[in-house]
Amino acid sequence: MRDQAESLRMKMQQSKSVGKSIAVVSGKGGVGKSNFTTNFAITLVNCGKKVIIVDMDIGMGNIHILLGKGTRSSLKDYLQGDVTLEQVIYEGTNDLHYISGGTGLAGLLDWSELMFDRLLTAFENLQASYDYILFDMGAGATNWSLDLLVAVEDIIVVSTTEPTSITDAYSMMKYIHYKDREKNFYLLCNRVLTSEEGTDTLNRLKKTMFRFLSKDVFVLGSLPEDKLVRQAVKKQVPFSILYPNAQITKMLKKITFRYMQGNISEVVIGNSSNKFISKLKSIFSKGSD
């Protein structure tokens, strides 16, 4: 193992507590993943948690747009060594913090060893400062994003009731499961027309995972198709803030509480807690052999 990775491991062992790492994914685009991530994060903040969103859709990020905020620097700039970590952390709404993925970058970054070292350092610092780190992943999967998904503690999978969305969500979970059979999956069905079709979709995914992979997954629930969401996006204000009494906001609160109750140990104390950084280092070390 590289000397720098060993040094980072020793630093992490000195940490008293680390925040929980969560990736929000979807098998395909257009399911409302980033919108969910933003409003889920705000709800966690309203529960008294320190939360940061890291927009991992590098070059196509839109978290800052949903928050109605601008950015001078992005995660891309930090990874390339152009700015410090502090310069890419912005305050959104209601004390929510975020890191933009950046825009206007064609194609994926070529991940050098220096970039990965900077990524590890950033995540180490973020875990020491926040209760929850939400990674808003780009739709689909790439080699480097799958490595990150294997490293995080929990994965929230967002699907709709469309057959293609369901199939892609299952394929994503299957691939990650084969990489890490202990991974925690949480299912959310978005943009449902009725609660029944949402329940049916979630049960189908849950049963399929258990039948073919012998893997049990956790069902968070469903969020309805709501014109208020579209209005909130146009106004660049999260719907949970703009419409606090709307039915979708109330349902999101229930889903957030359900998630928190399913993860009693929200901030783990001790050296054994930081599996996220350890997995990232292990993955990269194997890839560079």
Side-chain angles (χ1 to χ4, degrees):
M1 183 175 289
R2 296 168 300 155
D3 292 341
Q4 189 168 356
E6 180 66 18
S7 176
L8 181 57
R9 181 186 66 82
M10 293 177 65
K11 287 181 181 179
M12 291 309 299
Q13 287 185 342
Q14 297 171 2
S15 177
K16 294 182 179 180
S17 64
V18 295
K20 179 174 285 295
S21 55
I22 308 166
V24 184
V25 306
S26 63
K28 58 174 291 187
V31 302
K33 171 184 56 62
S34 295
N35 212 330
F36 165 76
T37 302
T38 302
N39 286 278
F40 177 62
I42 289 171
T43 308
L44 287 171
V45 170
N46 291 340
C47 291
K49 304 301 178 182
K50 294 187 64 177
V51 184
I52 186 168
I53 301 175
V54 182
D55 194 338
M56 295 302 295
D57 197 355
I58 299 177
M60 299 291 289
N62 62 0
I63 291 295
H64 64 290
I65 298 174
L66 293 173
L67 289 169
K69 302 291 183 177
T71 57
R72 294 180 299 277
S73 303
S74 67
L75 179 62
K76 172 176 67 72
D77 300 316
Y78 166 75
L79 293 175
Q80 293 175 330
D82 298 329
V83 296
T84 65
L85 179 62
E86 289 74 18
Q87 288 176 301
V88 298
I89 297 177
Y90 294 91
E91 185 171 342
T93 308
N94 288 24
D95 295 325
L96 171 67
H97 289 173
Y98 69 94
I99 296 177
S100 171
T103 57
L105 180 67
L108 293 172
L109 286 172
D110 181 16
W111 284 77
S112 66
E113 184 171 332
L114 176 60
M115 286 182 177
F116 203 91
D117 285 338
R118 289 181 67 82
L119 191 70
L120 290 176
T121 301
F123 292 164
E124 173 195 9
N125 292 333
L126 294 178
Q127 284 189 307
S129 303
Y130 296 91
D131 298 318
Y132 291 96
I133 307 169
L134 300 183
F135 297 101
D136 184 52
M137 307 300 297
T142 61
N143 289 335
W144 66 264
S145 67
L146 286 170
D147 287 345
L148 177 61
L149 292 177
V150 171
V152 299
E153 295 173 71
D154 293 341
I155 295 180
I156 297 178
V157 183
V158 182
S159 177
T160 65
T161 59
E162 297 178 2
T164 53
S165 181
I166 297 170
T167 301
D168 289 344
Y170 170 71
S171 297
M172 174 75 80
M173 287 189 289
K174 180 174 70 172
Y175 191 95
I176 298 169
H177 173 72
Y178 284 144
K179 293 275 189 177
D180 181 3
R181 296 180 183 273
E182 301 302 317
K183 185 63 62 188
N184 297 320
F185 292 105
Y186 296 80
L187 305 182
L188 173 85
C189 193
N190 197 26
R191 303 177 62 178
V192 303
L193 297 179
T194 66
S195 59
E196 289 76 17
E197 71 170 2
T199 300
D200 179 64
T201 297
L202 293 168
N203 285 339
R204 285 169 59 190
L205 273 170
K206 182 178 175 70
K207 290 178 181 178
T208 301
M209 287 290 290
F210 191 80
R211 177 182 178 185
F212 294 104
L213 301 177
S214 299
K215 175 68 175 179
D216 198 11
V217 296
F218 195 91
V219 172
L220 287 177
S222 302
L223 290 175
E225 177 73 56
D226 195 325
K227 63 180 182 181
L228 294 181
V229 174
R230 188 177 297 107
Q231 293 176 14
V233 171
K234 289 181 179 180
K235 294 181 180 180
Q236 292 183 277
V237 180
F239 68 77
S240 57
I241 294 176
L242 192 59
Y243 305 108
N245 297 318
Q247 184 65 22
I248 188 172
T249 302
K250 294 178 180 178
M251 294 181 71
L252 178 61
K253 288 180 181 178
K254 292 181 180 180
I255 286 172
T256 304
F257 295 153
R258 191 172 298 140
Y259 174 79
M260 294 175 67
Q261 290 168 0
N263 294 268
I264 299 175
S265 183
E266 294 170 344
V267 179
V268 186
I269 305 300
N271 300 337
S272 63
S273 62
N274 200 3
K275 296 181 180 178
F276 172 54
I277 294 292
S278 299
K279 284 187 177 182
L280 272 179
K281 291 187 295 185
S282 175
I283 290 168
F284 187 70
S285 296
K286 291 178 181 178
S288 59
D289 289 342

